[in-house]
Amino acid sequence: MLVVDTDRVFDRRSRCSTSELAPIVWSLIGLALVVAGCSAESLTTSDEIPRPLFSERQGGDATHQVADLNAFSTSAPDLTDQQMQFFDLGEEFFEKEWVAMPASTADAVGLGPVFNGVSCADCHVLAGRGAPPDPTSNHLRLGLTLRLSQPDQISPTGSPVPDPVYGLQLQDRSIDGVPAEGAVGVEFEVVNGAYADGTTYELQRPTYVASDLAFGPLAEGTVVSPRVAPPVFGMGLLEAIPESDVVAGADPDDDDGDGISGRPNMIVDSMSGNTLLGRFSWKASVASVQLQVADAFHTDIGVTTYFHIDDNCSSEQVECLRASSGPRPELNDGLLGSVTFFNRTLGVPAMRDADDPQVAQGADLFESFGCASCHTPSHVTGQTDVGVLTGQTIFPYTDLLLHDMGPELADGRTEFEASGSEWRTPPLWGLGLTGTTVINGEPTGEKFLLHDGRARTIEEAILWHGGEAEASREKFRLADESERELLLLFLRAL
Ligand code: HEC
Ligand code: HEC
Ligand SMILES: [Ca+2]
Ligand SMILES: [Ca+2]
Ligand SMILES: [Ca+2]
Ligand SMILES: [Ca+2]
C-alpha cells in the first residue's frame, strides 16, 4: 500500500499554492489536494460556436465504454501509472468498511460513534445512487439520510443551523454502547395525474420523519430534509467547469423573461473565509470534491479528518462524546486525498445509440421542451492537474445553478443562498444506466430519482417538476405519446 503523509509538504493556509511543494512529491500526492478556492481557469473564450446537444463521448477524454454494473465505478481512461495507483488506493478506502475502536486492524479504525454507513460504498453502491427505505420490502436500504436544521435561521456564514441535540443529520446507526439517534420513517401517498392524451399515471409522494428518537423530540419546527445518495462519477469534470462560465449562465431576475431564474449558490468556505461557487450535493452547498468527501467521512461514517477534527457528537450526547477518543484525525490527509482523487477521476460512461436518428429527435425535443434551459447540455472544462479532466468538452446536462422547483419538491431547508424550494440542477449523464442500482449486492433495475428518491422512473421525475420548470413539465405532459417516447429514448441513451 502506498502510505502518504502530507503533513509536512502541504501548506494548509494557502491551499492553492503549490509552489513550495517539491515537484516530485506534488506529482505523487498533491494532485489530489487541489481544493476549494482553486477555481479552474477558462481555456476557451468563445461561446459563439453553436454546440451540439449530445455526444457519444459525454465525458470527453474521461469517457469509458463500460455500460454494465460497473458503469459508474470505472476510472477515466488514460490515467498515468501514478494516477492509477492513487485511484486504486482511493477506491480501496471508498469501499473499506470502517470499524470501531479498539480494533486490531491497522487502518480504517474510528467508525462513529454515530454514523449512517460503514463505508462510502454502503450508500454509493458501485459509486452509484443510493436507495431510499422501502417499508414494503425487507431490503436493508441505506443511501438516504435525513438532514436537520432550524427553520428560518441561518448562521453568519449562511450555513444551516443544526438541531441543538441531533445536529445537522440524523445518524441512525451507532457503535456498541452508544445510542443511535433515531430511525428513518416514511409514508407514501398516491398522487394521480394524466397526460393530455388521457393516459393516466400514479406518482408517490413520500413524507419522511425522524422516529425512535433517543434524546426526545427534535427542537420545535426542526426541518427534516431527506436526501438520496447521488452517483459520484465525473466529479472532477464538474469541478473543472470554470466558475465564470457557471455564473455567466445565471439569470437571477429572469431578465430574458423565459421563466427560468437560475442562480449560483455562493458559499463562504469556513476554512479560508473565501466566497466560492457551490457545486456539489443536492443544493450545491459544497464547493469542492475534497470538502464533500471530508464532510461525508465525518457526517456519514463518523471518521475525522483535518477538516473535521472532532467526532460528530453534540453536548447532550454523553455516550457519543465518551466513546470518541483515540488519535486525531482518524483519516490522514494523504488517504483523504486518494478518496478525493478516486471521486474526481471516476470516468463517465459513453452514450449508447448516439447515432440513432430517433435519439437525435429526442434531443431536439429536450431542447424544445425547455429541459436544456437548466440541464445545460455541454461545458468546456478549464485547466486542472489531470490531463483527462483538462480542456474537455463534456455533456453533463447541468448548469450547476439553483432553481425554484415549486412547493411539491420543497424541503423548507435553506443552505447558504439556496432557499427551501431551490435545488441544484442534477447532471443527467449516465441517467440511462441508473437502473444498475445495486442493493445488498443485487441489481434492482430500479431508479430512485430526485433528491428524496421518490421518482421510480424518468417520466415520474419529469412529472414532479414544478416552479421554474412547470412550463417545461407541461410541454412534456401535453405532448403526444410518440414525442414523449422520443424524449425518453434520448434520456435513456445518456
Ligand atoms: C449514509 C449514506 C452515505 C454515505 C455512507 C456516503 N454518502 Fe456521499 N452522499 C450521500 C448523500 C445523501 C449525498 C447528498 C447530500 C446532500 O445533498 O446534502 C451524498 C453526496 C455525495 C457527493 C456529491 C455528489 C454530487 O453530485 O454532488 C459525493 C462526491 C459523495 N457523496 C462522496 C462520498 C464519499 C467519498 C463517501 C465516503 C467517505 C460518502 N459519500 C459516503 C450519502 C452518503
Ligand atoms: C427550471 C430548471 C429545470 C428544467 C426546465 C428542467 N429540469 Fe429537470 N431537474 C431540475 C432540478 C433542479 C432537478 C432536481 C429536483 C429535485 O431533486 O427535487 C431536476 C431533476 C431532474 C431529473 C432527475 C435527476 C436525478 O438525478 O434524480 C430528471 C430525469 C430531469 N430533471 C429531467 C428533465 C427533463 C427531461 C426536463 C424537460 C422536460 C427537465 N428536467 C426540465 C431542473 C430543471
Ligand atoms: Ca470517529
Ligand atoms: Ca446527528
Ligand atoms: Ca431566464
Ligand atoms: Ca430562481
Side-chain angles (χ1 to χ4, degrees):
M1 198 189 79
L2 181 68
V3 179
V4 182
D5 179 3
T6 55
D7 282 7
R8 267 159 297 148
V9 295
F10 183 43
D11 179 351
R12 290 165 164 178
R13 277 151 308 164
S14 57
R15 284 183 290 146
C16 282
S17 154
T18 61
S19 53
E20 283 164 35
L21 299 174
I24 184 118
V25 177
W26 178 249
S27 69
L28 184 63
I29 54 168
L31 46 82
L33 293 167
V34 174
V35 291
C38 311
S39 57
E41 209 179 293
S42 190
L43 290 181
T44 55
T45 47
S46 168
D47 277 333
E48 323 290 279
I49 321 141
R51 291 186 184 161
L53 288 169
F54 62 92
S55 157
E56 196 257 345
R57 286 161 44 80
Q58 295 192 87
D61 289 349
T63 307
H64 61 67
Q65 301 294 330
V66 179
D68 59 18
L69 280 183
N70 290 309
F72 300 158
S73 58
T74 298
S75 76
D78 301 328
L79 295 180
T80 65
D81 288 351
Q82 271 183 353
Q83 288 169 342
M84 204 58 224
Q85 218 184 330
F86 209 40
F87 175 94
D88 288 341
L89 179 65
E91 180 165 42
E92 186 187 330
F93 274 82
F94 187 86
E95 288 171 357
K96 201 180 280 278
E97 300 194 344
W98 285 73
V99 293
M101 295 263 297
S104 51
T105 350
D107 51 18
V109 180
L111 175 68
V114 292
F115 59 95
N116 296 89
V118 297
S119 69
C120 309
D122 235 0
C123 295
H124 305 281
V125 184
L126 290 169
R129 199 175 291 256
D134 174 0
T136 66
S137 130
N138 55 9
H139 276 309
L140 173 62
R141 291 180 180 229
L142 295 158
L144 179 133
T145 58
L146 299 184
R147 298 270 192 193
L148 308 173
S149 53
Q150 293 310 292
D152 312 318
Q153 285 183 44
I154 204 92
S155 78
T157 60
S159 61
V161 175
D163 180 277
V165 175
Y166 295 96
L168 286 166
Q169 183 164 309
L170 185 83
Q171 278 81 19
D172 56 354
R173 300 170 72 183
S174 57
I175 63 172
D176 286 350
V178 175
E181 292 179 346
V184 178
V186 62
E187 278 178 13
F188 294 101
E189 205 181 317
V190 172
V191 178
N192 291 300
Y195 292 102
D197 66 10
T199 313
T200 58
Y201 55 79
E202 260 185 21
L203 306 176
Q204 58 168 27
R205 178 195 292 130
T207 306
Y208 281 96
V209 290
S211 61
D212 304 329
L213 291 164
F215 305 94
L218 300 173
E220 176 84 37
T222 291
V223 177
V224 174
S225 174
R227 305 282 171 96
V228 93
V232 295
F233 66 88
M235 295 292 117
L237 294 168
L238 296 180
E239 190 170 49
I241 299 172
E243 180 170 322
S244 54
D245 289 4
V246 174
V247 173
D251 183 17
D253 303 316
D254 192 18
D255 290 336
D256 65 5
D258 66 354
I260 292 175
S261 57
R263 56 202 193 106
N265 198 356
M266 301 309 295
I267 65 178
V268 179
D269 176 34
S270 56
M271 303 300 264
S272 63
N274 294 334
T275 300
L276 304 167
L277 172 69
R279 296 166 190 260
F280 302 105
S281 86
W282 286 101
K283 292 213 187 214
S285 56
V286 182
S288 71
V289 181
Q290 187 181 52
L291 289 172
Q292 179 76 52
V293 173
D295 286 357
F297 270 114
H298 185 243
T299 311
D300 299 327
I301 311 182
V303 173
T304 57
T305 65
Y306 162 65
F307 293 95
H308 303 279
I309 207 70
D310 293 317
D311 269 317
N312 202 345
C313 317
S314 72
S315 56
E316 311 278 318
Q317 295 176 321
V318 182
E319 295 92 341
C320 184
L321 286 167
R322 201 182 302 131
S324 171
S325 59
R328 291 283 177 269
E330 290 157 338
L331 184 74
N332 72 37
D333 291 359
L335 290 173
L336 173 64
S338 73
V339 180
T340 305
F341 189 73
F342 167 73
N343 278 255
R344 288 179 66 208
T345 53
L346 279 168
V348 179
M351 254 181 103
R352 285 82 52 224
D353 306 319
D355 51 5
D356 179 343
Q358 290 200 313
V359 165
Q361 286 177 311
D364 289 340
L365 290 168
F366 185 77
E367 189 170 47
S368 63
F369 287 174
C371 315
S373 305
C374 301
H375 296 281
T376 310
S378 69
H379 294 275
V380 180
T381 64
Q383 188 68 52
T384 77
D385 54 351
V386 182
V388 291
L389 303 180
T390 297
Q392 301 301 316
T393 300
I394 58 169
F395 289 78
Y397 303 93
T398 173
D399 54 9
L400 293 179
L401 298 172
L402 298 171
H403 297 278
D404 188 324
M405 294 298 282
E408 281 287 6
L409 292 173
D411 66 346
R413 176 182 164 101
T414 50
E415 289 182 23
F416 298 94
E417 292 186 20
S419 75
S421 53
E422 283 179 320
W423 299 97
R424 174 196 74 165
T425 310
L428 299 181
W429 51 15
L431 185 65
L433 297 167
T434 299
T436 54
T437 300
V438 179
I439 297 173
N440 299 347
E442 297 287 324
T444 63
E446 295 167 279
K447 296 187 196 302
F448 304 104
L449 301 173
L450 299 175
H451 69 272
D452 55 9
R454 69 173 71 184
R456 296 160 293 187
T457 60
I458 296 175
E459 296 93 303
E460 287 191 7
I462 301 169
L463 291 164
W464 278 113
H465 280 52
E468 292 173 39
E470 189 170 333
S472 182
R473 178 204 69 210
E474 281 299 278
K475 284 186 183 152
F476 176 70
R477 202 181 62 80
L478 298 174
D480 61 33
E481 193 182 351
S482 61
E483 283 193 330
R484 296 200 311 267
E485 277 308 318
L486 284 172
L487 176 70
L488 293 168
L489 198 71
F490 165 66
L491 293 169
R492 290 192 198 110
L494 296 179

